[in-house]
Amino acid sequence: MAGRIRDVDIALVRERSPIADVIGEHIQLRNAGGGNLKGLCPFHDEKSPSFNVTPERGMYFCFGCSEGGDVITFVEKIEHLPFSEAVERLAQRAGIQLQFEQGGYAPRRDHGERARLIEAHRAAAEFYADKLLAPDAAPGRRFLSERGFERADAETFGVGYAPNEWEALARHLMGRGFTADEIVKGGLAKQGRRGPIDRFRGRLIWPIRDATGDVIGFGARKLLDSDDGPKYLNTPDSPLYKKSQVLYGIDLAKREISKRAQAVIVEGYTDVMACHLAGVPTAVATCGTSFGEEHIKILRRFLLDQAEFRGEVVFTFDGDAAGQKAALRAFADEQKFVTQTYVAIQADGLDPCDLRVKQGDAAVRDLIASREPLFQFAIRSTIARYDLRSNEGKIAALDAAAPIVAAIKDPGLRKRYAIDLDRWLGFMDERFVIQRIGDVARAQQGRPQRTARLAPVDPHVRVEAELLKLAVQRPALLGPRFDALDPQAFTAPDHVVLHHVLTAAGGLAAAGHGGREWVDLLLTHSHEEGARALVTRFAVEAIQVEPGAEERYAGAMLAALEAVAVDRAIAQVKSRMQRLNPVDEQQDYNKLFGELVALEQQRRVLRDRAAGS
């Protein structure tokens, strides 16, 4: 076996591995003066850059977490490698053939698990790319062609084809000297009865690369009707591949992200390809998981995301209801960026790939150019659910949007959106809106755990919460009257989500005797972000009523919420009456007056029932 790497070779590796270039493959570095460079530290989370690099001396040091060293140390730390493997990795990058003290020129056969898996993935990517030209890959080529991609485009992105055979890749890799254990451990194959079998068969393949350009996994798209697997299948988590820490296209996009101070988040591999080919080279996508905190950390390092440098992150989603929900979920992560965040939604529901096919490259660029601030989108999407023609509707919309505005950390930005909200709602009373939002902000700051108890800012929201707790815990007390409620009666964002879950589960008509089975049914229909936590919370939190009074209390809560719909109807009738002349339009006026009397009588009955609580 080869001995230790010669000191002269280690020195040569350091010399031919410019530290700024190596570190620059992982983070964006900017001039800090005095020959130094600065960026956001990749070893700890920070808002302002404290990671310094001195190219002249080939050293780095972070004043935030005290990590430091030379280019080899950096590779050891960032890729979790022992010293010898870090040297071998840099040597390969620089085209240096290492020699060892006890003779020999090739790296050791057992030179490290990660390096072996990287080599296996590189060989697999080449295998898949070659197979895209084979006769049986015709469905894959047709798929690409129908989506506007040419052969050169497939080569640029390394798209390939997995033969519809059990062991095609496994045989190829084992013939190249890789062991069955390595192939399975890397997620390239699964263990079969008689050895490894290919994980991907009869599918179009996209190699997924890390920021340095190494292939660490694959995404595979179903092509054959006989394939009973999911539409998209990804490499499972492995020593190389962690889906929560991977962004497809980051290897191609990272320099443009740094250069343009922009990152565009799309939903799929073909969307990334379409964006890059259409002139949006900052596009990346998650791989089989939703956009999360680890993805943010990756982008922040390339954006140099800091207070004094304002870049932008643009989320693109389909224009349908699911796409809008996804955009609102992104809002939850927005303030983990310092930079500005936007959302771009194509009104006709086309994703970037389809948009490029139907309307051309310019339409994709226009989609990104038409981006809307994410705060603005979240607020306007929320108030769009309400009837703003009445004061009741405006107040409900204000209370629904207030938690969003109150959550904005920047005081100046929060005030500006409060003023915008006042204008969008038509109150023309900035002081009132700002005060309402301020009340919500103070409530949020004082409720780290007791969200449900302190979130309501008025009695109506408290009624919503109590009624939903009854619907989850004691559905038999509410019966069909609950299912007949106007969905718009629920205004708090959490309550709207939970009502959606109850409806999706079949309403209280499907609750049976309630209990654990009912809660389990609700959990199976909890697909929206945070819905499972809401179901659990409302199933546990105490109903605010004395024992033995639950039935009367349930009736009172129902009556209180039913009265909201009557209030809305009364406001509409009054509005119509105000537009009539009692003399010239006496018949219509008298008819509306009769409706008003009946509605007010109904409201009195409901309020009396509600007062019984």
Side-chain angles (χ1 to χ4, degrees), residues 23 55 64 69 72 157 183 205 227 268 317 374 446 503 537 557 573:
I23 294 178
I72 299 175
F157 290 88
I183 298 169
I205 299 290
D227 187 339
F317 301 98
L374 189 54
T503 302
R537 189 183 91 198
M557 293 296 103
V573 170

Side-chain angles (χ1 to χ4, degrees), residues 219-240:
R221 207 276 187 190
K222 180 165 68 174
L223 296 171
L224 306 175
D225 294 336
S226 59
D227 187 339
D228 59 359
K231 184 176 180 181
Y232 280 95
L233 188 63
N234 287 73
T235 294
D237 280 359
S238 74
L240 295 183

Side-chain angles (χ1 to χ4, degrees), residues 566-586:
V566 177
D567 287 338
R568 188 180 298 118
I570 288 173
Q572 292 171 352
V573 170
K574 286 182 175 179
S575 176
R576 289 161 62 192
M577 289 178 66
Q578 289 172 357
R579 295 194 293 271
L580 294 178
N581 185 312
V583 177
D584 298 338
E585 301 168 286
Q586 185 177 7

Side-chain angles (χ1 to χ4, degrees), residues 195-454:
I197 57 174
D198 294 355
R199 180 170 295 276
F200 308 118
R201 300 186 299 276
R203 288 177 173 253
L204 201 60
I205 299 290
W206 282 266
I208 300 169
R209 297 182 171 89
D210 63 14
T212 67
D214 284 332
V215 178
I216 56 174
F218 296 93
R221 207 276 187 190
K222 180 165 68 174
L223 296 171
L224 306 175
D225 294 336
S226 59
D227 187 339
D228 59 359
K231 184 176 180 181
Y232 280 95
L233 188 63
N234 287 73
T235 294
D237 280 359
S238 74
L240 295 183
Y241 183 86
K242 300 289 187 294
K243 64 182 179 182
S244 63
Q245 302 171 11
V246 174
L247 285 170
Y248 175 72
I250 191 66
D251 57 311
L252 299 174
K254 63 181 182 182
R255 298 203 183 279
E256 287 296 326
I257 289 173
S258 297
K259 179 180 175 182
R260 302 185 184 205
Q262 178 199 68
V264 175
I265 315 301
V266 298
E267 293 194 309
Y269 306 124
T270 56
D271 293 330
V272 171
M273 293 175 68
C275 283
H276 281 248
L277 295 170
V280 184
T282 57
V284 294
T286 59
C287 300
T289 186
S290 57
F291 188 84
E293 190 168 347
E294 293 301 319
H295 301 119
I296 292 173
K297 291 178 181 178
I298 295 170
L299 289 180
R300 287 192 69 235
R301 293 199 293 265
F302 288 113
L303 285 165
L304 193 59
D305 182 29
Q306 56 176 311
E308 63 268 25
F309 184 76
R310 304 294 286 186
E312 61 181 41
V313 174
V314 183
F315 294 93
T316 68
F317 301 98
D318 292 347
D320 57 14
Q324 292 200 11
K325 288 180 183 177
L328 290 173
R329 284 198 300 271
F331 170 79
D333 286 324
E334 195 278 343
Q335 293 182 93
K336 293 174 183 173
F337 287 106
V338 178
T339 194
Q340 300 174 69
T341 50
Y342 298 84
V343 60
I345 290 185
Q346 182 67 16
D348 55 13
L350 297 177
D351 58 32
C353 181
D354 291 336
L355 183 62
R356 178 173 178 262
V357 171
K358 294 185 178 182
Q359 299 182 32
D361 291 349
V364 177
R365 296 193 296 270
D366 289 344
L367 170 63
I368 305 306
S370 67
R371 63 200 181 278
E372 176 183 6
L374 189 54
F375 279 132
Q376 177 176 306
F377 174 83
I379 296 167
R380 299 196 74 154
S381 294
T382 297
I383 65 175
R385 301 198 303 260
Y386 299 90
D387 181 1
L388 303 183
R389 293 172 296 181
S390 68
N391 287 330
E392 289 80 2
K394 291 178 181 179
I395 289 291
L398 171 58
D399 288 344
I404 298 175
V405 182
I408 301 174
K409 294 179 180 177
D410 184 319
L413 193 60
R414 184 168 63 244
K415 183 176 180 180
R416 291 308 311 170
Y417 274 112
I419 294 171
D420 284 342
L421 179 58
D422 172 58
R423 177 167 52 85
W424 294 331
L425 293 175
F427 280 116
M428 306 307 291
D429 188 346
E430 294 176 3
R431 182 176 298 178
F432 168 71
V433 173
I434 291 172
Q435 177 63 41
R436 195 94 166 187
I437 292 169
D439 291 343
V440 174
R442 284 186 288 275
Q444 289 179 338
Q445 291 169 2
R447 57 172 176 87
Q449 296 297 328
R450 301 178 63 189
T451 305
R453 195 69 57 82
L454 293 179

